Amino acid sequence: MHINDIDLNLLRVFDAVYRARSVSRAADLLGLTQPATSQGLTRLRLLVKDALFVRAPGGVAPTPKAERLAVAVQSALGTLEHALNEAEQFNPAQSRKVFRIHMSDIGEARFLPDLMVAMRRLAPGVRLETSPLASSDIAPALDSGRIDFAFGFLPTVKDTQRVQLLKDRYIVLLRGGHPFTRRRRSGQALLDDLRQLEFVAVRTHSDTLRILELLQLEDRLRLTTEHFMVLPAIVKGTDLGVVMPRNIAQIFAAAGGYAIIEPLFPLRDFTVSLHWSRRFEADPGNQWLRQTIAALFSETSGGKATR
């Protein structure tokens, strides 16, 4: 006999008869008629070439082969039921699930501290793993399950579900006491005077490079780096300015020693969103974490998902 010959319903009939020790009582448990239950039991008897149950006072008794088979059948049905129920619910307090998330280093600085405080309180056994991916890899990684979520300003990432978390804008961060800050400027005058500065830019935020290009300031670029988190020390120790998101610049500036200026940049406003795959949208764990993230960070009430 091959496993392909077995109908799962026959194993359910067998298990019910084994537990009830009666074909009629098993039929009631299964919501079947007694003839249908008897017919299923007969089919299984023919497949395994054993009577499985014999008449006994008050019902039926299992044969030695049925006793051996019962252990495997109950284990298999229990495992299947557990897997099906697990897909319908997610208990964050007991879960040991690992969520994998695309984040840049600047995203980690902005979101991880508050998110980890919430995880410790709500889901102490849940693990998070972050890693930055190339923009072209994000949507395929979400669809394949390689990552569960992607945070960030990701204008080139298409065909994902997403919820807006916050609006931000690009500014220039300088060291405190920088000569540029001694004269008050605003509007176009501030924009025109940017040629007095030299800049450091971050390659992974391509719009920062695009802004400098649109303002014809590429020749004022002195350093291009891969990450934002090295910038505070560079800015504080030099006269270089960095075009970066205001949200993160304010975190740096709060520690003292920095100045923020806000030119009327082209492309200066942008939206940070949480992305996930439509394929996993109904997954309870996915639902729970994205609702938790939206509650923590969304500037809108409810944060309706879009495509």
Side-chain angles (χ1 to χ4, degrees), residues 197-201 212 217-224 240-241:
L197 294 175
E198 294 182 322
F199 293 93
V200 52
L212 294 177
L217 295 172
E218 308 104 297
D219 63 327
R220 306 298 293 170
L221 186 60
R222 294 294 174 263
L223 172 65
T224 303
L240 294 174

Side-chain angles (χ1 to χ4, degrees), residues 164-176:
Q164 176 182 311
L165 297 180
L166 55 91
K167 290 185 178 294
D168 206 345
R169 67 174 37 170
Y170 290 113
I171 56 82
V172 176
L173 183 72
L174 300 170
R175 66 174 176 84

Side-chain angles (χ1 to χ4, degrees), residues 61-275:
T63 65
K65 183 162 188 173
E67 290 283 8
R68 295 192 300 272
L69 187 61
V71 175
V73 168
Q74 289 172 5
S75 175
L77 292 177
T79 299
L80 183 58
E81 184 175 3
H82 174 75
L84 292 172
N85 287 337
E86 186 177 52
E88 296 173 359
Q89 59 189 357
F90 177 78
N91 186 337
Q94 297 181 2
S95 176
R96 310 291 292 180
K97 185 175 175 65
V98 178
F99 290 99
R100 296 174 174 86
I101 302 172
H102 160 83
M103 277 187 184
S104 64
D105 66 324
I106 199 168
E108 290 180 348
R110 172 62 181 86
F111 296 110
L112 280 185
D114 289 341
L115 182 55
M116 291 311 299
V117 170
M119 290 295 100
R120 180 165 184 166
R121 176 170 53 88
L122 301 172
V126 166
R127 289 170 49 201
L128 302 182
E129 294 181 2
T130 69
S131 61
L133 300 178
S135 293
S136 59
D137 294 336
I138 290 173
L142 289 169
D143 284 338
S144 70
R146 178 181 164 197
I147 60 173
D148 300 288
F149 296 99
F151 277 81
F153 171 49
L154 305 169
T156 62
V157 176
K158 309 296 184 184
D159 299 321
T160 63
Q161 299 293 89
R162 63 187 181 276
V163 63
Q164 176 182 311
L165 297 180
L166 55 91
K167 290 185 178 294
D168 206 345
R169 67 174 37 170
Y170 290 113
I171 56 82
V172 176
L173 183 72
L174 300 170
R175 66 174 176 84
H178 193 292
F180 190 86
T181 64
R182 293 173 189 162
R183 176 181 161 195
R184 295 181 64 85
R185 308 170 179 84
S186 62
Q188 187 62 42
L190 175 56
L191 204 57
D192 292 341
D193 285 348
L194 289 180
R195 179 155 284 281
Q196 299 174 22
L197 294 175
E198 294 182 322
F199 293 93
V200 52
V202 177
R203 188 178 293 107
T204 51
H205 259 238
S206 59
D207 272 13
T208 62
L209 292 167
R210 179 67 176 147
I211 287 170
L212 294 177
E213 179 184 336
L214 290 172
L215 295 175
Q216 299 183 338
L217 295 172
E218 308 104 297
D219 63 327
R220 306 298 293 170
L221 186 60
R222 294 294 174 263
L223 172 65
T224 303
T225 75
E226 210 49 49
H227 306 292
F228 273 104
M229 298 312 293
V230 70
L231 296 180
I234 293 173
V235 169
K236 189 171 255 188
T238 70
D239 280 342
L240 294 174
V242 58
V243 179
M244 67 182 302
R246 182 173 60 181
N247 232 287
I248 298 298
Q250 288 173 334
I251 295 175
F252 295 159
Y258 298 95
I260 293 174
I261 61 173
E262 301 197 25
L264 297 175
F265 282 142
L267 307 177
R268 72 171 182 165
D269 294 313
F270 64 93
T271 298
V272 176
S273 298
L274 177 71
H275 296 250

